[in-house]
Amino acid sequence: MSTSLPVPASGSTAFVYCEGQFGEQDGKTANGLVRFSERYEIVGVLDSRLAGTDAGQVLDAVPNGIPVLAGLAEAVERHGRVPDYLICGLAPADGLLSPAQRAVLLDGMSRGMHIVNGLHEFLNDDAEFVAAAILAGVTITDVRRPRPTRDLHLFSGRIFDVDCTRIAVLGTDGSIGKRTTATLLVEALRSRGVRAVMVGTGQTTVIQGGKYGVALDALVPQFCSGEVENQVVAAYEGEDPDVIVVEGQGALSHPAYLTSGAILRGSRPQGVIVQHAPRRRVLGDFPMVAMPTAASEVRLIEAFADTRVIGITINHEGMDSAAVDEAVAGFRRDLDLPATDPLTRPLDELADMVLTAFPAIRARLATSR
């Protein structure tokens, strides 16, 4: 699926449904939308565990005015009207809805809300949802549904004509913060005068409104590297950027996911940033598998592709400020790489990873002033 989602009317509002998972790994779509959305105005999150809290406070200890509410009826009453959209903010590994989750989405449709679904289960193929949409006069958008095969791209070699710097933000696990770090990196570079653009590779970035991207894990593997290449080329031709930042998926070492390999092959990044959660001991949805170390992931990436790792970014789950400081110092010492926590440390540290690794970008900035 490319970013050719229906464009909602300006100011379209949305609730994000994330029962039992907001702030957790399987709530990453909701987490991302609360932090950043160009496409929708998020006016509430549905998770009864955290009802009465502020969504920004839950995620980043910084209130953002988006309430977390117990259920749909309460949310509509609190908001004062029915929002335009109900977004399924859950992202379980199997990508399927439970009966209770189905009931909430159907309730939203009966109230007149359009549905945005980022799961692998396509609701436009479900007779009950199709009938409900017709009765309520609403739409269902299955974000992960790929385009017809005839419209997909094989690897073509056009990436060799993309002469700007390309940075991939990869990681050591799924749901570890790669998309957030990629988004913040683009923001940090732009604040320094660098023309930066992001290419998304997952459903959350597409829902957020990213201009360039593909829900990579929904594709037949044969087309994965070609679809990444196609989106990078489109970003290059459409934006004339200094830097293209490519969002990672899963991990190259992950036994269940193949998409990191396609990202490395399709975008051919000159540099990679590795996102790691030092306190995570096992893979998020696969507790039978031990977490790799940042060092082992760096070695694997550099052996797999013609690239180099230029920095380590930290997911600080389970860590206080002192532990983050210790981890940053350890990565700098042991791997001889810059390290930072994008959510708690100055974004200049993130931008400097790229500007130090690629001094020609800094030089171009100096000559353009």
Side-chain angles (χ1 to χ4, degrees):
M1 177 68 202
S2 73
T3 52
S4 56
L5 290 181
V7 178
S10 176
S12 290
T13 55
F15 286 152
V16 182
Y17 173 60
C18 197
E19 177 59 35
Q21 296 297 330
F22 183 58
E24 306 294 335
Q25 293 177 41
D26 284 357
K28 66 178 183 179
T29 296
N31 302 342
L33 286 164
V34 163
R35 287 188 171 118
F36 175 76
S37 176
E38 290 183 310
R39 194 181 295 274
Y40 307 99
E41 179 189 353
I42 307 303
V43 295
V45 174
L46 309 183
D47 186 344
S48 62
R49 298 172 313 137
L50 302 169
T53 62
D54 180 279
Q57 183 72 38
V58 170
L59 289 182
D60 302 315
V62 179
N64 63 7
I66 299 175
V68 184
L69 301 153
L72 196 53
E74 176 195 342
V76 170
E77 182 178 359
R78 166 77 179 266
H79 185 57
R81 67 182 183 87
V82 177
D84 305 298
Y85 289 84
L86 179 59
I87 302 172
C88 184
L90 298 160
D94 62 11
L96 302 176
L97 287 171
S98 71
Q101 292 162 354
R102 289 174 61 90
V104 174
L105 298 185
L106 288 165
D107 184 15
M109 296 171 72
S110 72
R111 296 171 184 268
M113 302 171 71
H114 304 285
I115 298 297
V116 178
N117 167 45
L119 300 178
H120 286 297
E121 182 176 5
F122 300 147
L123 301 184
N124 277 300
D125 293 341
D126 186 303
E128 184 177 17
F129 275 91
V130 171
I134 293 171
L135 285 172
V138 299
T139 61
I140 301 170
T141 302
D142 290 315
V143 176
R144 269 183 165 133
R145 185 185 290 279
R147 296 193 309 276
T149 302
R150 64 179 177 274
D151 295 329
L152 297 176
H153 297 82
L154 291 169
F155 183 81
S156 68
R158 292 185 299 157
I159 194 68
F160 299 118
D161 298 325
V162 176
D163 61 6
C164 69
T165 301
R166 300 177 301 283
I167 307 295
V169 180
L170 304 183
T172 52
D173 193 7
S175 303
I176 204 167
K178 299 178 290 290
R179 182 195 66 256
T180 298
T181 291
T183 301
L184 292 173
L185 177 57
V186 169
E187 178 186 329
L189 290 170
R190 288 176 177 173
S191 73
R192 301 281 285 272
V194 178
R195 297 191 307 275
V197 63
M198 179 170 161
V199 170
T201 55
Q203 76 278 7
T204 303
T205 306
V206 174
I207 296 172
Q208 287 173 319
K211 188 174 181 181
Y212 303 98
V214 57
L216 199 59
D217 63 0
L219 297 178
V220 174
Q222 184 175 2
F223 296 102
C224 285
S225 63
E227 281 294 297
V228 173
E229 177 192 46
N230 182 63
Q231 290 298 318
V232 172
V233 170
Y236 173 68
E237 293 177 346
E239 308 296 330
D240 188 27
D242 300 310
V243 176
I244 295 175
V245 177
V246 183
E247 173 197 12
Q249 293 294 314
L252 188 60
S253 61
H254 203 297
Y257 305 131
L258 302 174
T259 42
S260 286
I263 289 165
L264 286 165
R265 293 296 191 231
S267 69
R268 297 185 65 87
Q270 297 99 327
V272 171
I273 293 172
V274 173
Q275 178 93 3
H276 182 59
R279 293 289 173 86
R280 200 178 286 191
R281 296 292 173 252
V282 296
L283 297 182
D285 286 322
F286 301 86
M288 74 295 292
V289 182
M291 276 284 289
T293 65
S296 68
E297 200 73 23
V298 169
R299 291 193 297 269
L300 181 61
I301 290 167
E302 293 185 339
F304 181 84
D306 182 17
T307 191
R308 61 188 172 113
V309 174
I310 63 170
I312 306 294
T313 47
I314 291 172
N315 176 322
H316 61 254
E317 61 186 39
M319 304 172 71
D320 59 18
S321 180
V324 171
D325 290 343
E326 182 181 355
V328 166
F331 288 131
R332 290 174 176 172
R333 179 187 65 246
D334 298 337
L335 300 182
D336 192 27
L337 288 170
T340 190
D341 176 357
L343 286 173
T344 65
R345 287 174 167 253
L347 286 183
D348 275 345
E349 294 184 10
L350 194 56
D352 284 339
M353 282 186 182
V354 173
L355 298 178
T356 299
F358 299 97
I361 300 173
R362 199 190 297 269
R364 283 201 299 273
L365 289 176
T367 57
S368 66
R369 288 171 182 159

